[in-house]
Amino acid sequence: MAMPEKSSDVKPTEECSSFPEIIELNVGGQVYITRYPTLISIPGSRLWEMFSVKNPCSLIQDNKGRFFIDRDGFLFRYVLDYMRDMQVVLPDHFPECGRLHREAEYFKLPELAKMLAPKMNKLNLTGNDSCPIDLEELSPSIDTTFNFSSTNSIHISGPDNPMVLTAAPGSELKKAGFITIGYRGSYTLGRDSQTDAKFRRVARIMVCGKISLAKEVFGDTLNESRDPDRPPERYTSRYYLKFTFLEQAFDKLADAGFHMVACNSTGTCTVTHDQTDDRIWTSYTEYVFYRE
């Protein structure tokens, strides 16, 4: 007697039909561990849709079985904090309000977006985080008022020292300062020193200097995840660029009015193979740029 054919519709297994109590997330490379009720605490949010409506097997997982979300891993901690107790506490001089507001909209958290709106308006009044003039370095007693008119002037009034800073029409008032570019590179040189060496490999381009200057010059190409929550008037040596073309960094500095004033380099050499006598040269180089 012929056996009945099995149905092609396979029901999900027990482990794929429900979520565990403890959820591991991989958000843009950052790992978070939280409770399942936290992720579904706000009905209608994107996380609620993912973890209450969908099946676990339908969600993307990384190679360690963590649920993957392709968003900003650093900013997600504030999203998760809000999901836990319906409020968010940001550090002083937090420069990422605009990006966090965008994350709130993506995760469908309108109340969080409303909380961030006043902070965004305050940042917009000071020039969208670009900080063309570092007003924090002025005397605390000075009352500052802004008037960015067609003459591009800023009026600063105080008890004893009223002054007006004016730039030429069509130009911007920019701060003076130093930016140091450092990179670690390597190249291979064969036995015959007259032959061309293999082109250098730049592993990472580091940026050192005042945070406001670095952001002005490099913008979105600046990776800030290694030194978050720092006010724009502070200095950092932990930023690096998302690209590895040294000339591209020089072009951006030149476009911003910087010119190189100093450089230095150190190097070491290792033999890769006794028979070929190839050598790998590794160097660390720093270039100092200045804008008047």
Side-chain angles (χ1 to χ4, degrees):
M1 183 176 65
M3 298 294 293
E5 295 184 359
K6 293 183 180 180
S7 172
S8 60
D9 297 331
V10 180
K11 294 183 179 180
T13 61
E14 184 66 24
E15 59 179 298
C16 277
S17 62
S18 61
F19 289 94
E21 174 68 16
I22 304 300
I23 304 290
E24 291 191 35
L25 302 174
N26 178 349
V27 184
Q30 300 290 326
V31 177
Y32 292 89
I33 301 177
T34 187
R35 297 177 64 242
Y36 175 73
T38 301
L39 297 177
I40 61 171
S41 59
I42 302 181
S45 66
R46 190 175 295 273
L47 291 172
W48 177 85
E49 293 175 352
M50 292 175 60
F51 291 94
S52 67
V53 178
K54 296 183 179 181
N55 186 280
C57 292
S58 66
L59 300 180
I60 300 175
Q61 300 182 35
D62 64 11
N63 56 4
K64 294 187 177 180
R66 295 178 291 228
F67 296 106
F68 179 76
I69 303 175
D70 190 16
R71 299 301 294 182
D72 191 309
F74 166 68
L75 295 177
F76 185 74
R77 62 173 172 170
Y78 300 109
V79 175
L80 194 57
D81 283 345
Y82 176 77
M83 300 285 290
R84 286 167 176 153
D85 49 21
M86 300 301 120
Q87 53 184 312
V88 62
V89 179
L90 301 178
D92 295 335
H93 306 286
F94 184 68
E96 306 291 345
C97 282
R99 295 181 181 178
L100 183 54
H101 185 271
R102 184 175 58 192
E103 296 301 300
E105 292 181 335
Y106 173 82
F107 286 104
K108 299 181 181 181
L109 300 172
E111 294 301 320
L112 175 58
K114 289 181 181 179
M115 293 180 184
L116 296 171
K119 297 180 181 294
M120 290 179 59
N121 293 334
K122 183 178 179 180
L123 290 174
N124 289 335
L125 290 176
T126 59
N128 291 325
D129 296 342
S130 60
C131 297
I133 293 181
D134 205 344
L135 297 173
E136 288 84 352
E137 294 180 351
L138 300 175
S139 171
S141 62
I142 295 178
D143 179 27
T144 60
T145 59
F146 305 91
N147 179 17
F148 291 92
S149 61
S150 58
T151 59
N152 203 11
S153 61
I154 299 180
H155 300 267
I156 304 177
S157 60
D160 303 317
N161 54 347
M163 61 180 175
V164 178
L165 304 179
T166 306
S171 64
E172 296 181 358
L173 293 170
K174 296 182 178 180
K175 292 188 304 181
F178 291 87
I179 289 181
T180 300
I181 297 296
Y183 80 93
R184 199 176 305 276
S186 63
Y187 61 90
T188 303
L189 187 65
R191 179 181 301 179
D192 185 2
S193 60
Q194 300 301 319
T195 60
D196 292 337
K198 294 182 180 179
F199 191 77
R200 70 172 183 269
R201 181 179 67 85
V202 179
R204 179 170 289 179
I205 301 177
M206 308 297 298
V207 178
C208 309
K210 208 165 197 178
I211 291 176
S212 58
L213 285 179
K215 288 185 176 182
E216 175 198 336
V217 174
F218 297 106
D220 292 339
T221 64
L222 192 71
N223 192 313
E224 307 172 36
S225 62
R226 297 178 71 247
D227 199 4
D229 303 344
R230 292 177 66 83
E233 72 273 10
R234 297 289 181 87
Y235 292 84
T236 182
S237 61
R238 293 178 57 80
Y239 283 173
Y240 66 90
L241 300 179
K242 297 178 181 179
F243 56 84
T244 57
F245 296 101
L246 196 61
E247 292 77 11
Q248 186 176 351
F250 292 170
D251 286 341
K252 286 184 174 293
L253 286 161
D255 292 341
F258 285 81
H259 62 276
M260 188 172 66
V261 294
C263 67
N264 66 82
S265 181
T266 59
T268 59
C269 176
T270 59
V271 178
T272 60
H273 199 283
D274 294 338
Q275 296 180 354
T276 61
D277 201 27
D278 287 347
R279 288 180 171 85
I280 294 181
W281 287 87
T282 302
S283 64
Y284 180 76
T285 307
E286 286 187 338
Y287 301 91
V288 182
F289 289 81
Y290 177 69
R291 183 175 67 190
E292 297 181 355

